[in-house]
Amino acid sequence: MANCLVLRFSKDAVRGRSSNGYLLIAASGGLNQQRTGISDAVVVARILNATLVVPELDHNSYWKDDSDFINIFDVNWFISYLAKDVTIVKRVPDKVMRSMEKPPYTMRVPRKSPPEYYIDQVLPILSRRRVLQLTKFDYRLASNIDEELQKLRCRANFHALRFTKPIQELGQKLVMRMRDMAKRFIAVHLRFEPDMLAFSGCYYGGGDKERYELGEIRKRWATLPDLSADGERRRGKCPLTPHEVGLMLRALGFSNDTHLYVASGEIYGGEETLRPLRELFPNFYTKEMLANEELKPFLPFSSRLAAIDFIVSDESDVFVTNNNGNMAKILAGRRRYMGHKRTIRPNAKRLSALFMERDQMDWDTFARKVKAAQRGFMGEPDEMRPGRGEFHEYPYSCICEKPLNDVVDSKSGDPQSEQVRGYQGLRKEEPVSLGDKDEDAAG
């Protein structure tokens, strides 16, 4: 499985049409949520035949990162790569702003709106006002749209959004440092920040202190319903704890000499929460451990730190998540598109029952049941059906299947041939273990 070469609209076709106006986009959320919004914004600009202004990043969410687009992504590459598809400018020209009788019109479109909504409801406003801003732009375009528009989504997400040189260089340095220690490594993305846990409504075993602290954070969202923590866990809505991630990996056959790169923000409970995972996998590394001084310029900016984690996770041999959030979906889709590398998602609904019953069974029984629970969640090339879930997670319109015996080794640098060769490294019968077989119970 590899990415298909996707044709761009011709440059003459783009230049030959008169723009209907300037489209301003205010992205929303953390880095990866904003990434989906930016990719969708490119497609919406195409639908509206609008000139896209480089999107404005979210400075007001929980992460409170003042980074602009130009601080995270290579803006000149973004503009030039998509030039045959959409006209993109860094700002609305001054003469256009001076000629406007009113400030730019601002609106928020419903989530997952189809192209027809943009044509019927947004385009008339854009044509009349000339400059239009769409706010809180995350998941505002339907997942299932025309195939050519889906391919434009892929070009925007997987090719046009390239990190800045400082971010890219440090991310690659960390990858090389992991490779110097071990030929293969796992990246584990832990979403275990206090706000995320509070939003989930779940309970993680921290007693009255946890209930009070997360309850106070939860008050920030006035519209959240009261939830049953036990009910949410039974429904598989709670992210796995670091300890549970470790138990899952050991049960799946990853030995304790496996090298882990842990991508995370602030972990609720800090080192005490991480200790069980460290004990299960002593070869435990983070960006802070691998790049002390080099990381300092990035420390005030959560999105730039997340971008570094993104690079290392993308380059890992196996990517593991403790929930199915935005980074998990984006990276799973990217790893499918770029020739396919394994992404393991927890089947939280079935695993939660096993974790609660862990003390009632021996290790071999537990491991056998974990493996059974994880069937269909182990990152096999064909485990998702086209059209199911978010397109960013399974970009099926942009992926071609090629039989392995049709692959010809080539050093020509052709992107497609390289991606097909990448798929050769993962056959369905390949075991997931990255280390020697370990029969010890990880209890």
Side-chain angles (χ1 to χ4, degrees):
M1 193 174 293
N3 70 64
C4 295
L5 292 180
V6 288
L7 297 175
R8 294 184 177 89
F9 300 98
S10 73
K11 184 177 290 188
D12 291 340
V14 174
R15 287 183 174 176
R17 298 173 305 156
S18 176
S19 171
N20 288 320
Y22 291 88
L23 182 64
L24 302 171
I25 294 291
S28 176
L31 174 66
N32 294 288
Q33 187 172 329
Q34 293 184 91
R35 190 182 185 111
T36 64
I38 294 166
S39 302
D40 287 352
V42 171
V43 179
V44 168
R46 177 70 195 183
I47 292 168
L48 297 173
N49 185 28
T51 298
L52 178 65
V53 179
V54 170
E56 174 187 328
L57 300 190
D58 186 350
H59 297 162
N60 301 313
S61 65
Y62 169 82
W63 292 270
K64 291 186 170 52
D65 188 328
D66 292 333
S67 298
D68 291 319
F69 189 103
I70 196 170
N71 303 125
I72 297 175
F73 300 109
D74 184 336
V75 66
N76 292 326
W77 172 261
F78 178 71
I79 293 171
S80 62
Y81 189 89
L82 294 168
K84 294 183 180 180
D85 298 306
V86 175
T87 299
I88 305 175
V89 297
K90 294 181 181 179
R91 56 185 301 220
V92 179
D94 290 340
K95 64 179 182 180
V96 174
M97 294 299 291
R98 286 195 301 267
S99 68
M100 293 173 57
E101 297 178 357
K102 298 179 180 179
Y105 188 86
T106 298
M107 67 181 294
R108 184 183 301 177
V109 299
R111 289 175 70 84
K112 299 186 178 180
S113 295
E116 292 77 15
Y117 179 91
Y118 287 93
I119 295 295
D120 295 340
Q121 304 295 326
V122 180
L123 181 56
I125 299 172
L126 176 66
S127 300
R128 186 170 65 251
R129 298 294 293 266
R130 298 180 64 195
V131 181
L132 170 65
Q133 182 181 50
L134 300 181
T135 63
K136 206 170 178 58
F137 200 80
D138 59 336
Y139 294 100
R140 303 292 162 173
L141 180 63
S143 188
N144 295 317
I145 55 178
D146 176 80
E147 186 171 290
E148 285 304 312
L149 295 177
Q150 298 285 45
K151 290 179 179 180
L152 177 54
R153 240 177 185 162
C154 292
R155 290 196 291 280
N157 190 357
F158 303 131
H159 296 283
L161 285 174
R162 186 168 73 180
F163 293 122
T164 60
K165 188 175 180 180
I167 291 173
Q168 194 68 38
E169 287 182 345
L170 183 53
Q172 290 300 329
K173 280 183 181 179
L174 301 195
V175 173
M176 293 306 297
R177 287 167 190 172
M178 290 298 297
R179 295 275 181 227
D180 287 343
M181 292 183 287
K183 184 179 178 182
R184 307 176 74 193
F185 72 92
I186 298 176
V188 178
H189 180 226
L190 292 179
R191 280 301 315 272
F192 215 70
E193 299 92 341
D195 74 305
M196 190 265 195
L197 303 186
F199 190 87
S200 73
C202 299
Y203 173 65
Y204 300 93
D208 290 341
K209 179 176 182 291
E210 176 193 311
R211 290 188 177 94
Y212 173 77
E213 291 175 346
L214 298 187
E216 288 298 300
I217 296 173
R218 193 170 170 81
K219 291 177 182 178
R220 296 175 187 169
W221 298 283
T223 59
L224 288 184
D226 290 331
L227 298 173
S228 163
D230 290 340
E232 291 301 288
R233 183 164 292 277
R234 284 194 297 270
R235 292 171 57 215
K237 299 299 182 180
C238 301
L240 269 59
T241 67
H243 188 201
E244 289 169 344
V245 170
L247 289 174
M248 177 186 74
L249 291 175
R250 290 292 293 274
L252 290 173
F254 292 99
S255 61
N256 69 346
D257 63 352
T258 300
H259 283 65
L260 258 61
Y261 176 87
V262 176
S264 70
E266 177 191 359
I267 297 292
Y268 180 69
E271 184 57 36
E272 184 178 348
T273 300
L274 288 173
R275 187 178 300 114
L277 179 59
R278 284 184 186 271
E279 291 172 351
L280 291 169
F281 293 95
N283 295 313
F284 175 110
Y285 299 93
T286 64
K287 55 186 176 293
E288 291 82 5
M289 296 168 66
L290 295 172
N292 192 356
E293 290 298 318
E294 296 157 298
L295 202 61
K296 284 185 177 179
F298 300 92
L299 291 177
F301 308 102
S302 60
S303 289
R304 299 183 213 185
L305 293 172
I308 293 167
D309 276 339
F310 185 100
I311 292 168
V312 184
S313 298
D314 186 32
E315 293 285 344
S316 67
D317 297 281
V318 178
F319 176 55
V320 182
T321 73
N322 74 325
N323 78 321
N324 203 26
N326 290 302
M327 181 167 169
K329 290 177 181 177
I330 285 281
L331 264 176
R334 180 180 174 84
R335 289 164 67 89
R336 284 189 175 99
Y337 177 80
M338 294 294 185
H340 197 94
K341 288 190 289 185
R342 190 180 294 277
T343 298
I344 297 177
R345 301 168 296 133
N347 183 352
K349 186 173 183 178
R350 292 189 61 186
L351 289 178
S352 63
L354 290 177
F355 290 133
M356 287 189 286
E357 298 169 0
R358 168 71 188 94
D359 295 335
Q360 302 172 27
M361 63 186 84
D362 60 38
W363 176 254
D364 288 343
T365 301
F366 175 74
R368 186 175 66 252
K369 290 189 175 185
V370 167
K371 290 172 184 173
Q374 281 298 116
R375 289 191 190 114
F377 291 78
M378 293 297 293
E380 303 295 352
D382 56 357
E383 74 181 17
M384 289 190 72
R385 285 182 289 173
R388 294 289 296 273
E390 298 292 341
F391 181 78
H392 298 290
E393 186 175 9
Y394 184 21
Y396 53 89
S397 298
C398 308
I399 296 176
C400 302
E401 292 189 27
K402 277 196 175 276
L404 293 177
N405 57 7
D406 285 354
V407 176
V408 177
D409 187 22
S410 167
K411 295 183 180 179
S412 64
D414 174 77
Q416 189 179 30
S417 65
E418 288 190 3
Q419 303 313 335
V420 175
R421 288 204 307 276
Y423 173 51
Q424 282 185 292
L426 176 63
R427 292 180 173 84
K428 291 185 68 173
E429 67 272 14
E430 180 183 338
V432 297
S433 178
L434 298 187
D436 296 331
K437 188 174 182 182
D438 186 356
E439 300 294 343
D440 294 340

